[in-house]
Amino acid sequence: MASQRTRIKDVASIEGIRDNQLIGYGIVVGLKGTGDTQQTVFPIQTLLSTLERMGITVPQTGNNSASNMQVKNMAAVFVVSTLPPFSRPGEKLDITVSSAGDARSLEGGLLLMTPLYGPDGQIYAQGQGPLVLGGYQVTANGNSRQVNHPTTARIPGGALVERSVPFDLKQMKTVSVILTDADFHTAERMAGAINAELKTERAHVVDSRRVEIAAKPEEDLPALLDQIEAVQIDVYPRARVVVNERTGTVVIGGKVRLQPVSILHGGLSVNVVTETKVSQPNAFAQGTTQVVQQTTVQAQDKPVNRIELKEGATVEDLVQELQQIGATARDVISILQGMKEAGALEADLEVL
């Protein structure tokens, strides 16, 4: 079994030292008529609430009431961010802003101060700033041009941390190292390498993903974690084929092995074409003009393509054979699934 040598830091994490997801709701202003329409109610409610906090009261009746407001230069958005471990108040975070209503574009927008909440309902950061888009949408005279998604944007360093997540390394009695990919073989090798580095038998395997190291009283835990993460171990990656049926993408790992197999691949293509024609009666006839549909059914049975893989065949051989028969991405996905069922594909087949 082929292995690769890497640091523990690259294939595992320390339990308790983790990122935290943040989410908030706010409004983006300064749009050029591409904001939410009047049919989206909650942006108006958000605007009224913001104005009230600033001492501005909008009448509820009359021509200038809230029901008659037509604000097209603002949009309601959800704001998300990730709070890294050991973040302190005053640090900056990148945030992502996405439209929550029917706004056409967030180009040129400015996010007003938005509190970002953690899973416990507490405010951990405040976001605000001008948006940076990776796309655009232009509409003129009934024609439109769009690149990427103009309703999602980012603000680099757009949030300030207001509260840190309480976590004290000194309270850790046991250091738990969690493997990214569960594997008993790798876990055993990792525990052995840690014991060899520490020159004690302090690390032991709990399961296929967890290795625990007992911490000594008054031990310098940051120094211990630094020593553990720098240890190099032999990792045995699992052979895996990843298939995305929505996009037709197939990624085959280099560790994938193939068994001798013969593949027959063909298909029956059926096309149903409907044409609409107008039947016009003669000038002196008593008939009326009718729309007539003419349907044509075409069937084409494609010849069967054969692929034969002998013992010792590699993934490169399979790809070359598939290219020679003109297989599409959808064909490759079907063939790989069939090979997995036949036992000719020695890898985990993961379908996204």
Side-chain angles (χ1 to χ4, degrees):
M1 181 185 298
S3 64
Q4 62 184 35
R5 196 157 184 83
T6 185
R7 298 179 302 172
I8 290 179
K9 180 179 181 180
D10 299 325
V11 295
S13 60
I14 307 300
E15 186 178 25
I17 303 178
R18 43 158 287 184
D19 295 334
N20 292 274
Q21 302 295 327
L22 305 179
I23 186 172
Y25 170 82
I27 57 175
V28 170
V29 298
L31 305 179
K32 191 177 180 180
T34 59
D36 293 330
T37 62
Q38 196 173 9
Q39 282 74 21
T40 308
V41 180
F42 48 89
I44 300 297
Q45 296 176 347
T46 306
L47 178 61
L48 293 177
S49 176
T50 303
L51 293 175
E52 288 179 0
R53 289 198 301 268
M54 295 182 176
I56 302 174
T57 302
V58 178
Q60 300 299 321
T61 59
N63 295 331
N64 296 324
S65 65
S67 60
N68 295 324
M69 295 178 61
Q70 294 185 4
V71 183
K72 299 181 180 179
N73 293 343
M74 59 166 286
V77 294
F78 279 106
V79 184
V80 296
S81 183
T82 300
L83 183 67
F86 308 116
S87 295
R88 294 291 181 250
E91 294 184 14
K92 293 185 177 182
L93 305 175
D94 295 344
I95 57 179
T96 301
V97 180
S98 299
S99 172
D102 56 358
R104 299 194 307 273
S105 175
L106 299 179
E107 184 179 4
L110 173 71
L111 175 69
L112 298 185
M113 184 175 292
T114 302
L116 301 179
Y117 299 87
D120 56 357
Q122 300 292 327
I123 298 177
Y124 286 90
Q126 293 279 356
Q128 181 171 278
L131 276 59
V132 178
L133 266 69
Y136 63 87
Q137 183 184 42
V138 179
T139 303
N141 299 326
N143 299 320
S144 63
R145 169 74 173 176
Q146 178 176 326
V147 176
N148 296 333
H149 296 280
T151 54
T152 297
R154 287 182 60 82
I155 306 179
L160 289 177
V161 177
E162 300 291 343
R163 181 200 303 264
S164 59
V165 177
F167 184 80
D168 189 3
L169 285 176
K170 296 179 181 179
Q171 302 299 324
M172 294 180 63
K173 304 299 181 182
T174 302
V175 176
S176 297
V177 183
I178 310 298
L179 282 171
T180 303
D181 294 326
D183 181 46
F184 280 107
H185 191 76
T186 303
E188 288 288 348
R189 295 298 182 273
M190 183 168 64
I194 293 174
N195 288 329
E197 176 68 21
L198 301 179
K199 297 180 175 59
T200 57
E201 296 295 324
R202 298 164 59 183
H204 67 278
V205 178
V206 177
D207 51 39
S208 62
R209 192 182 292 272
R210 181 191 302 267
V211 173
E212 290 186 350
I213 302 98
K216 296 180 180 180
E218 305 300 329
E219 186 172 16
D220 188 353
L221 283 180
L224 175 63
L225 294 176
D226 174 55
Q227 193 174 3
I228 291 173
E229 290 185 336
V231 174
Q232 292 193 351
I233 60 174
D234 290 327
V235 179
Y236 300 84
R238 180 175 298 177
R240 182 175 297 173
V241 177
V242 180
V243 173
N244 190 329
E245 290 190 317
R246 295 187 299 273
T247 61
T249 303
V250 180
V251 180
I252 305 176
K255 304 295 182 181
V256 176
R257 294 191 299 180
L258 307 176
Q259 293 295 330
V261 65
S262 180
I263 303 171
L264 300 178
H265 182 72
L268 176 65
S269 176
V270 179
N271 295 327
V272 179
V273 181
T274 301
E275 294 183 358
T276 302
K277 295 185 178 181
V278 177
S279 176
Q280 182 69 34
N282 295 329
F284 299 99
Q286 299 298 322
T288 59
T289 302
Q290 297 290 333
V291 177
V292 181
Q293 291 185 346
Q294 295 184 352
T295 302
T296 304
V297 179
Q298 300 176 349
Q300 180 181 2
D301 196 0
K302 299 179 181 179
V304 174
N305 296 306
R306 183 183 181 189
I307 300 175
E308 185 174 353
L309 299 177
K310 299 181 180 179
E311 186 174 358
T314 63
V315 174
E316 184 178 359
D317 298 331
L318 173 61
V319 173
Q320 289 179 354
E321 292 288 343
L322 292 175
Q323 288 178 343
Q324 289 181 1
I325 67 173
T328 64
R330 305 292 179 185
D331 296 331
V332 174
I333 293 174
S334 300
I335 292 173
L336 289 174
Q337 291 175 339
M339 292 178 63
K340 179 64 177 178
E341 293 297 326
L345 181 65
E346 294 185 352
D348 292 338
L349 185 60
E350 181 177 349
V351 180
L352 301 180

CSV table of all heavy atoms in Angstrom, one decimal, residues 2 62-63 73 84 88 103 114 117 154 160 163 170 175 196 210 217 240 244 246 258-259 274 290 320-321 332 349:
chain,number,residue,atom,x,y,z
A,2,ALA,N,0.7,2.1,-1.0
A,2,ALA,CA,1.5,3.3,-1.1
A,2,ALA,C,1.1,4.3,0.0
A,2,ALA,O,0.0,4.5,0.3
A,2,ALA,CB,1.4,3.9,-2.4
A,62,GLY,N,-51.8,58.3,5.2
A,62,GLY,CA,-51.5,59.4,4.3
A,62,GLY,C,-50.7,59.1,3.1
A,62,GLY,O,-50.3,57.9,2.9
A,63,ASN,N,-50.4,60.1,2.3
A,63,ASN,CA,-49.7,59.8,1.1
A,63,ASN,C,-48.2,59.4,1.3
A,63,ASN,O,-47.6,58.8,0.5
A,63,ASN,CB,-49.7,61.1,0.2
A,63,ASN,CG,-51.1,61.4,-0.3
A,63,ASN,OD1,-51.9,60.5,-0.4
A,63,ASN,ND2,-51.4,62.7,-0.5
A,73,ASN,N,-33.5,51.3,-4.0
A,73,ASN,CA,-32.1,51.4,-3.9
A,73,ASN,C,-31.6,50.6,-2.7
A,73,ASN,O,-30.4,50.9,-2.2
A,73,ASN,CB,-31.6,52.8,-3.8
A,73,ASN,CG,-31.9,53.5,-5.1
A,73,ASN,OD1,-32.1,52.9,-6.2
A,73,ASN,ND2,-31.9,54.9,-5.1
A,84,PRO,N,-12.7,32.6,13.6
A,84,PRO,CA,-11.6,31.6,13.9
A,84,PRO,C,-11.4,31.4,15.4
A,84,PRO,O,-11.8,32.3,16.2
A,84,PRO,CB,-10.3,32.3,13.2
A,84,PRO,CG,-10.9,33.3,12.3
A,84,PRO,CD,-12.2,33.8,13.0
A,88,ARG,N,-10.0,37.7,19.1
A,88,ARG,CA,-10.1,38.7,20.1
A,88,ARG,C,-10.9,39.9,19.6
A,88,ARG,O,-10.8,40.2,18.4
A,88,ARG,CB,-8.7,39.1,20.7
A,88,ARG,CG,-8.0,38.0,21.4
A,88,ARG,CD,-8.7,37.6,22.7
A,88,ARG,NE,-8.0,36.6,23.4
A,88,ARG,CZ,-8.4,35.3,23.6
A,88,ARG,NH1,-9.6,35.0,23.0
A,88,ARG,NH2,-7.7,34.4,24.2
A,103,ALA,N,-34.0,41.3,-5.2
A,103,ALA,CA,-33.1,42.3,-5.8
A,103,ALA,C,-32.4,41.7,-7.0
A,103,ALA,O,-32.0,40.5,-7.0
A,103,ALA,CB,-32.0,42.7,-4.8
A,114,THR,N,-24.5,45.6,10.8
A,114,THR,CA,-25.3,44.4,11.0
A,114,THR,C,-24.7,43.5,12.1
A,114,THR,O,-23.5,43.1,12.0
A,114,THR,CB,-25.3,43.6,9.7
A,114,THR,OG1,-25.9,44.4,8.6
A,114,THR,CG2,-26.1,42.3,9.8
A,117,TYR,N,-24.6,36.9,14.7
A,117,TYR,CA,-24.9,36.1,15.9
A,117,TYR,C,-24.3,34.7,15.8
A,117,TYR,O,-24.1,34.2,14.7
A,117,TYR,CB,-26.4,35.9,16.1
A,117,TYR,CG,-27.2,37.2,16.3
A,117,TYR,CD1,-27.6,38.0,15.2
A,117,TYR,CD2,-27.4,37.7,17.5
A,117,TYR,CE1,-28.3,39.2,15.4
A,117,TYR,CE2,-28.1,38.9,17.7
A,117,TYR,CZ,-28.5,39.6,16.6
A,117,TYR,OH,-29.2,40.8,16.8
A,154,ARG,N,-18.9,40.0,-1.3
A,154,ARG,CA,-18.0,39.9,-0.1
A,154,ARG,C,-17.5,41.3,0.3
A,154,ARG,O,-17.5,42.2,-0.4
A,154,ARG,CB,-16.8,39.0,-0.4
A,154,ARG,CG,-17.1,37.5,-0.6
A,154,ARG,CD,-15.9,36.7,-0.8
A,154,ARG,NE,-14.9,36.8,0.3
A,154,ARG,CZ,-15.0,36.1,1.4
A,154,ARG,NH1,-16.0,35.3,1.6
A,154,ARG,NH2,-14.0,36.3,2.3
A,160,LEU,N,-16.0,43.4,12.5
A,160,LEU,CA,-15.1,43.6,13.7
A,160,LEU,C,-15.6,42.6,14.8
A,160,LEU,O,-16.8,42.6,15.1
A,160,LEU,CB,-15.1,45.0,14.2
A,160,LEU,CG,-14.3,46.0,13.3
A,160,LEU,CD1,-14.5,47.4,13.9
A,160,LEU,CD2,-12.9,45.7,13.2
A,163,ARG,N,-16.9,40.0,20.5
A,163,ARG,CA,-16.8,39.1,21.7
A,163,ARG,C,-16.0,37.8,21.3
A,163,ARG,O,-16.1,37.3,20.2
A,163,ARG,CB,-18.3,38.7,22.1
A,163,ARG,CG,-18.3,37.7,23.3
A,163,ARG,CD,-19.7,37.0,23.3
A,163,ARG,NE,-20.8,38.0,23.3
A,163,ARG,CZ,-21.4,38.4,24.4
A,163,ARG,NH1,-21.1,37.9,25.5
A,163,ARG,NH2,-22.4,39.2,24.3
A,170,LYS,N,-5.7,26.0,29.5
A,170,LYS,CA,-5.2,25.5,30.7
A,170,LYS,C,-6.1,24.5,31.4
A,170,LYS,O,-5.8,23.7,32.3
A,170,LYS,CB,-5.0,26.7,31.7
A,170,LYS,CG,-3.9,27.6,31.2
A,170,LYS,CD,-3.7,28.8,32.2
A,170,LYS,CE,-2.7,29.8,31.7
A,170,LYS,NZ,-2.5,30.9,32.7
A,175,VAL,N,-5.5,16.0,25.5
A,175,VAL,CA,-5.5,16.6,24.2
A,175,VAL,C,-6.0,15.5,23.2
A,175,VAL,O,-5.4,14.4,23.2
A,175,VAL,CB,-4.0,17.0,23.8
A,175,VAL,CG1,-4.0,17.5,22.4
A,175,VAL,CG2,-3.6,18.1,24.7
A,196,ALA,N,6.9,8.4,20.2
A,196,ALA,CA,8.3,8.5,19.9
A,196,ALA,C,8.8,9.9,20.0
A,196,ALA,O,10.0,10.1,20.4
A,196,ALA,CB,8.6,7.9,18.5
A,210,ARG,N,-9.8,9.2,16.5
A,210,ARG,CA,-9.4,9.9,17.7
A,210,ARG,C,-8.1,9.3,18.3
A,210,ARG,O,-8.1,8.1,18.6
A,210,ARG,CB,-10.5,10.0,18.7
A,210,ARG,CG,-10.1,10.8,20.0
A,210,ARG,CD,-11.2,10.6,21.0
A,210,ARG,NE,-12.5,11.0,20.5
A,210,ARG,CZ,-13.0,12.2,20.7
A,210,ARG,NH1,-12.4,13.1,21.4
A,210,ARG,NH2,-14.2,12.5,20.2
A,217,PRO,N,0.4,17.8,34.6
A,217,PRO,CA,0.0,19.0,35.4
A,217,PRO,C,1.0,20.1,35.2
A,217,PRO,O,2.2,19.9,35.1
A,217,PRO,CB,0.1,18.5,36.9
A,217,PRO,CG,-0.1,17.0,36.8
A,217,PRO,CD,0.5,16.6,35.5
A,240,ARG,N,-10.4,6.9,-4.0
A,240,ARG,CA,-11.8,7.5,-4.0
A,240,ARG,C,-12.0,8.1,-5.4
A,240,ARG,O,-11.1,8.7,-6.0
A,240,ARG,CB,-11.9,8.6,-3.0
A,240,ARG,CG,-13.3,9.3,-2.9
A,240,ARG,CD,-13.3,10.3,-1.7
A,240,ARG,NE,-13.1,9.6,-0.5
A,240,ARG,CZ,-13.0,10.2,0.7
A,240,ARG,NH1,-13.0,11.5,0.8
A,240,ARG,NH2,-12.8,9.5,1.8
A,244,ASN,N,-19.9,14.2,-9.6
A,244,ASN,CA,-20.9,15.3,-9.5
A,244,ASN,C,-21.9,15.1,-10.7
A,244,ASN,O,-21.6,15.6,-11.8
A,244,ASN,CB,-20.3,16.7,-9.4
A,244,ASN,CG,-21.3,17.7,-9.0
A,244,ASN,OD1,-22.5,17.6,-9.3
A,244,ASN,ND2,-20.8,18.8,-8.4
A,246,ARG,N,-24.7,16.6,-11.2
A,246,ARG,CA,-25.3,17.9,-11.6
A,246,ARG,C,-24.5,18.6,-12.7
A,246,ARG,O,-25.0,19.2,-13.6
A,246,ARG,CB,-25.5,18.8,-10.4
A,246,ARG,CG,-26.5,18.2,-9.4
A,246,ARG,CD,-26.8,19.2,-8.3
A,246,ARG,NE,-25.6,19.6,-7.6
A,246,ARG,CZ,-25.2,19.0,-6.5
A,246,ARG,NH1,-25.8,17.9,-6.1
A,246,ARG,NH2,-24.1,19.4,-5.9
A,258,LEU,N,-7.8,-0.8,-10.8
A,258,LEU,CA,-8.9,-1.4,-11.6
A,258,LEU,C,-8.6,-2.9,-11.8
A,258,LEU,O,-7.4,-3.3,-11.9
A,258,LEU,CB,-8.9,-0.7,-13.0
A,258,LEU,CG,-9.0,0.8,-13.0
A,258,LEU,CD1,-9.0,1.3,-14.4
A,258,LEU,CD2,-10.3,1.2,-12.3
A,259,GLN,N,-9.6,-3.6,-11.8
A,259,GLN,CA,-9.6,-5.1,-12.0
A,259,GLN,C,-9.9,-5.4,-13.5
A,259,GLN,O,-10.5,-4.5,-14.2
A,259,GLN,CB,-10.5,-5.8,-11.1
A,259,GLN,CG,-10.1,-5.8,-9.6
A,259,GLN,CD,-8.8,-6.4,-9.3
A,259,GLN,OE1,-8.4,-7.4,-10.0
A,259,GLN,NE2,-8.1,-5.9,-8.3
A,274,THR,N,-42.1,18.2,-32.7
A,274,THR,CA,-43.4,18.7,-33.0
A,274,THR,C,-43.4,20.0,-33.7
A,274,THR,O,-42.7,20.9,-33.2
A,274,THR,CB,-44.3,18.8,-31.7
A,274,THR,OG1,-44.4,17.6,-31.0
A,274,THR,CG2,-45.7,19.3,-32.0
A,290,GLN,N,-57.0,27.1,-39.0
A,290,GLN,CA,-56.8,26.2,-37.9
A,290,GLN,C,-55.2,26.0,-37.7
A,290,GLN,O,-54.5,26.0,-38.7
A,290,GLN,CB,-57.4,24.8,-38.1
A,290,GLN,CG,-58.9,24.8,-38.1
A,290,GLN,CD,-59.5,25.2,-36.8
A,290,GLN,OE1,-58.9,24.9,-35.7
A,290,GLN,NE2,-60.7,25.8,-36.8
A,320,GLN,N,-8.1,7.1,-21.4
A,320,GLN,CA,-7.8,7.0,-22.8
A,320,GLN,C,-8.8,6.2,-23.6
A,320,GLN,O,-9.2,6.6,-24.7
A,320,GLN,CB,-6.4,6.5,-23.0
A,320,GLN,CG,-5.3,7.4,-22.5
A,320,GLN,CD,-3.9,6.8,-22.7
A,320,GLN,OE1,-3.8,5.6,-23.1
A,320,GLN,NE2,-2.9,7.6,-22.5
A,321,GLU,N,-9.2,5.1,-23.1
A,321,GLU,CA,-10.2,4.3,-23.8
A,321,GLU,C,-11.6,5.0,-23.9
A,321,GLU,O,-12.2,5.0,-24.9
A,321,GLU,CB,-10.4,2.9,-23.1
A,321,GLU,CG,-9.2,2.0,-23.1
A,321,GLU,CD,-9.0,1.4,-24.5
A,321,GLU,OE1,-10.0,1.5,-25.3
A,321,GLU,OE2,-7.9,0.9,-24.7
A,332,VAL,N,-19.3,8.5,-18.7
A,332,VAL,CA,-18.3,8.1,-17.7
A,332,VAL,C,-18.9,7.8,-16.4
A,332,VAL,O,-18.5,6.9,-15.7
A,332,VAL,CB,-17.2,9.2,-17.6
A,332,VAL,CG1,-16.2,8.9,-16.5
A,332,VAL,CG2,-16.5,9.4,-19.0
A,349,LEU,N,-16.8,5.2,-4.3
A,349,LEU,CA,-17.5,6.0,-5.3
A,349,LEU,C,-18.4,6.9,-4.5
A,349,LEU,O,-19.4,6.5,-3.9
A,349,LEU,CB,-18.3,5.1,-6.3
A,349,LEU,CG,-18.9,5.9,-7.4
A,349,LEU,CD1,-17.9,6.6,-8.3
A,349,LEU,CD2,-19.8,4.9,-8.3
